[in-house]
Structures are given as structure tokens and as C-alpha cells.
Amino acid sequence: MLAWLAFLPFALIRSENLAESDTFWQVRTGLLTIAEGRIPSVDPFSWTVSGKPWTLNSWAFNVVLGFSYEAAGLVGVALICACFVAVIGGLVLLLARRLGAAPVLSAWVLLIGVPLLTLFLSARPQLVDYIAVLALVMFLQRLVEVPKPVWPLIAIAVLTTLWVNLHAGALLGVAIVGASALLVFLRRSTRSRSGWFLAALLVTMLCSLVNPYGAGLLAQTLQVKSESAVITEWQPFNPADPLQLVMFAIGLLGLGVAARRGDPVFTAAIGVAVCGSVAAMRVLPILVLLALPVLAAFASHEVVLRYFASRRRLFFQGATAVLVIAVGLAVFNLPFFGRPDPAHFPRTAIKAIPAGCKLFNEYQLGGLVILERPDVPVSIDSRNDLYGAERVTQSLRVLDGQGDLNEGLSGADCVLVPPATGLARWLNTNPGWVLKSAEPTAELFIRR
């Protein structure tokens, strides 16, 4: 509990700035869903693909953000996401405790893992994936331990149903349960539990269909992957990236420890996350979160504990210093809590866009425009599965100032792009456009 309380300031610090474009259009979509009492079926936000069929893979999460926004604006959105992060930290510590890890080592392992995870703990439905995977592993372990684990089976059913509606990442849970069932069957000491794991696999498969799109959600998930070729987080694992390499190494170490301990559930879950991370780097945080409890338990060796006891004062002072700094930063940042990151988003320029103006915008800026200026149709935003890889690539070429720019801006009456782009430089010298607003993060141009 003390380790978890020490983690809370880090959850608040991460939620200070909202830096993901997804967050903003998800809030607006949630507000639209609440207002109309139904899930949007076609795109209502752009002028380039207006009316195109749109499948939402996180409709319930959008509604949660919508209610949070109605209650307290973006502060409410940041606060609910900070609560999600706090739950993630709590589940990591709880799993470490169940594996026999010492509290002090669990705390240090979690604090060491926080810097690696910071970039991924943004206000997006992936937070639900992190919580759900950790909870799923906890329930699967109960299938091994409890004589007649009816309640863990029911818990898995409820978890999967909630998960698939909050985010389509629930399909990862099916893979984890399937891999766990296989390892439980192959291990002689747990083979008698195979029936319960097969039941869990059937439950997760059936409950994954309990969503507004049914089995169509699988096709939508595959479409997201195919249409995200130019998106960084969907790229395969890159060992040349130091952050990715460290995270992957931690995952492999956790996999080795889990296999050596003979733990079929953690071995299966981490193994699935390793395969997922190779295919797409966005799975790396799940890999690290699953590995942390295993590594905390592994580190809780008598020799290590004696060393910590002999250096108790040193570690206490170090932990106190880290915690004081974290609390200080959290308190200092409270006045800015929930703001769109000023290093990425030009709020003044967005306010200056004429009403109803068809906007050509940079990819990351579309989300905040959708939230703050729903009267302004955007050209593109981070719903890359809706726009398709070809349209996203063409938008990036225009942004770089390549090709026929007059043709690229056809249909647009306003442009909102970063000042360092090739398009911004071209517009500054083009008599057909006038600069209306300029900020370090973006310039707004109006067609004459």
C-alpha cells in the first residue's frame, strides 16, 4: 500500500499535459454519442471523408471521457486517466505480492519501470488494455489455484465484456487465454486444470463478440493494422531504438524467469506479449508491465533482501528524495493539470479559424480542432484507419511541400500547419494565402 501511494504522484505528473491527438477526438465522439444516444456510424468530423462508414474500436471509453469532460472539462479527462494509471500501478504491485515479492523490491522495480512506460501512459484506451491484461492474468492464476474456480471464470467473462467495449484490444486476451490453456495442458502438474482453461477460452471468445459490431470487430482490428503502416507505434520492434531494446530485454528476462518458475499463466502472457511486440511496438508496454511482477519476485532473494537491509538508510534516503521531487512536481503542475500540451498544440490559432472553414491541417492537430472547434471540418486526424494509409501518406507529402501543392490544397480554405514545414514556407510566399495567426507550434493561413 505504501509503495502504491508513492506511485500516485507519478500518475498525476503523467496526466498534466494531454499530448495525444486521439484523446481530443475521442472526447468529442463521446459527447456526440451521449447527445445522440447512439454510436456514430459515419464520419461526422472531416470534409475529406465525410459520411464514410466508421467503426469505433473504443466507443465505451469515448463515452467515459465524454462524461468526464461534461463534469470537469479536460481536467476531468486527465483525472480519470490518472486514476487508470493508478490502477495499473496497483495491479503490478498486487501481482508482485501474489508471486511472493518483497514490498521494498516491488516498489523499486515499479519505480524503475515508470520512466520506460511514461510515453505510453497517455490518455488513450490503451490504458484499459494495460489494466485488463494484468487483471486477466490475476484471474487466470486463480483458475490454477482455486479447487472449483467458478467465480474467476465469471470474472473473466465480465472483464472481457467490459474490455471489448472499452477497447478492441480485448482480442489480445483471447490469445493470452489460449496460450495459457496450452501450457497448462502440457505441464503435468497443472493438466487437471485444463478443462477450466478451455472453459475460460470459450468464455473470452464468446464475450469478445458482445459488442456493437460482433465478429466484425476482428476485421476492423486487422484493418487498423494494415492502414497504420506509416504510424510509429504500429511499426515492428526496432532493436536500434534504445528504449525499445531495453523494454524488449526486460520482457525477455521476465519470460525466462516465468518459464524457470514453471508459471504457465505468466509464461503464456509474456510470450504472447513478446510476439505482439515484435509485430508492433505498441505492445511493448504490456510486455514490460507483465514482466515487472515476475522480476520483483525473482529479485526478492534472501541475499538481495539482506543487502537492502544493510543499506536501509541509504535506500530510504534515496526513495525519500525521489518521492519529494515527484510530489513537488505534481503540486507545481496542478494549475496546468489537463491542458493540451503547449509544445504540440496551438490553441490561439485554433480559436482564430473562421467558422465553417474547410481546414487542411497537420495530422496531429486534427484531434484538438475536432474538440474545440466542432464547427470546423478537418482534412485529417489520427483516425488513420478511417482515412487509409494512402490518404495519410498524401497528406504528409503535401505537408512537406512536395508535389502540386495547389492540387493538394484543393477544397481547403484554411491551413493549420507547423511553421517549419515545407508547406508553411510555400504559403508564406504565396499571394493567394494570408497568414492570420502564428504560434511556435503552428501557423494559420486563410485563402484570399
Side-chain angles (χ1 to χ4, degrees):
M1 181 60 69
L2 289 175
W4 181 71
L5 291 174
F7 174 75
L8 294 185
F10 296 94
L12 291 174
I13 291 171
R14 181 60 186 90
S15 302
E16 176 212 344
N17 283 333
L18 299 175
E20 292 286 349
S21 180
D22 290 5
T23 306
F24 306 116
W25 66 255
Q26 285 166 348
V27 172
R28 177 56 62 189
T29 304
L31 293 172
L32 183 63
T33 304
I34 294 168
E36 297 187 351
R38 62 182 178 86
I39 303 170
S41 58
V42 297
D43 170 45
F45 301 132
S46 76
W47 59 272
T48 51
V49 294
S50 179
K52 180 180 177 180
W54 179 29
T55 301
L56 281 72
N57 63 9
S58 60
W59 74 269
F61 182 80
N62 300 344
V63 170
V64 171
L65 295 189
F67 278 122
S68 301
Y69 186 83
E70 286 186 333
L74 287 177
V75 172
V77 172
L79 186 59
I80 193 68
C81 291
C83 290
F84 284 139
V85 175
V87 172
I88 293 168
L91 285 172
V92 169
L93 292 169
L94 180 59
L95 284 169
R97 180 176 182 270
R98 290 181 56 81
L99 292 175
V104 64
L105 287 173
S106 300
W108 278 104
V109 167
L110 180 60
L111 291 179
I112 291 171
V114 165
L116 299 174
L117 297 168
T118 297
L119 291 176
F120 300 93
L121 297 177
S122 54
R124 296 197 301 166
Q126 280 77 5
L127 294 177
V128 175
D129 296 342
Y130 307 155
I131 292 172
V133 166
L134 295 171
L136 178 63
V137 167
M138 184 170 61
F139 294 141
L140 289 175
Q141 283 191 311
R142 300 301 285 171
L143 289 182
V144 177
E145 300 164 356
V146 178
K148 292 184 178 180
V150 176
W151 75 261
L153 202 59
I154 295 174
I156 290 172
V158 173
L159 174 68
T160 305
T161 303
L162 291 173
W163 188 3
V164 76
N165 286 284
L166 287 165
H167 194 220
L171 299 177
L172 178 64
V174 177
I176 290 175
V177 176
S180 298
L182 177 61
L183 292 187
V184 165
F185 175 76
L186 293 176
R187 193 163 180 258
R188 183 176 300 177
S189 61
T190 58
R191 188 169 296 169
S192 61
R193 317 299 292 177
S194 297
W196 290 105
F197 274 83
L198 288 176
L201 178 59
L202 180 62
V203 163
T204 52
M205 293 174 66
L206 291 176
C207 290
S208 294
L209 301 178
V210 185
N211 68 84
Y213 308 104
L217 199 63
L218 175 59
Q220 197 271 343
T221 302
L222 296 175
Q223 179 191 355
V224 171
K225 178 69 172 74
S226 64
E227 298 291 1
S228 302
V230 298
I231 308 303
T232 302
E233 68 175 1
W234 281 99
Q235 299 296 315
F237 166 63
N238 177 16
D241 184 321
L243 176 62
Q244 293 187 46
L245 183 61
V246 171
M247 295 177 74
F248 195 73
I250 289 174
L252 288 180
L253 183 59
L255 177 61
V257 172
R260 184 176 178 81
R261 289 169 59 99
D263 188 324
V265 173
F266 264 102
T267 302
I270 298 176
V272 169
V274 166
C275 296
S277 299
V278 171
M281 63 165 287
R282 73 198 315 257
V283 185
L284 280 172
I286 294 177
L287 176 61
V288 172
L289 288 169
L290 288 169
L292 290 180
V294 177
L295 295 178
F298 176 71
S300 298
H301 191 276
E302 185 178 352
V303 174
V304 179
L305 291 175
R306 282 203 303 265
Y307 176 78
F308 264 78
S310 67
R311 302 290 189 275
R312 181 189 301 269
R313 184 174 181 179
L314 174 64
F315 282 109
F316 178 79
Q317 290 173 342
T320 302
V322 171
L323 188 58
V324 167
I325 293 172
V327 171
L329 287 173
V331 172
F332 177 79
N333 290 330
L334 280 179
F336 314 109
F337 192 73
R339 66 177 177 179
D341 192 341
H344 294 89
F345 299 108
R347 305 191 74 180
T348 302
I350 290 175
K351 291 178 182 178
I353 302 173
C357 190
K358 291 182 177 179
L359 180 70
F360 180 94
N361 55 278
E362 191 262 345
Y363 178 89
Q364 293 291 342
L365 301 180
L368 188 57
V369 174
I370 288 172
L371 175 61
E372 297 198 337
R373 294 296 307 276
D375 60 310
V376 174
V378 299
S379 63
I380 200 166
D381 54 81
S382 53
R383 298 172 295 161
N384 50 284
D385 57 310
L386 173 68
Y387 294 96
E390 183 178 348
R391 187 178 293 276
V392 173
T393 302
Q394 174 59 26
S395 175
L396 292 174
R397 282 199 294 264
V398 175
L399 189 67
D400 289 338
Q402 300 175 8
D404 187 343
L405 298 184
N406 285 312
E407 177 64 25
L409 297 179
S410 177
D413 297 311
C414 305
V415 174
L416 184 68
V417 292
T421 59
L423 179 59
R425 291 192 293 268
W426 181 80
L427 290 170
N428 271 302
T429 61
N430 190 307
W433 294 84
V434 60
L435 178 65
K436 183 171 184 179
S437 178
E439 295 182 57
T441 52
E443 294 178 337
L444 173 65
F445 298 89
I446 309 296
R447 191 187 294 273
R448 291 186 186 276

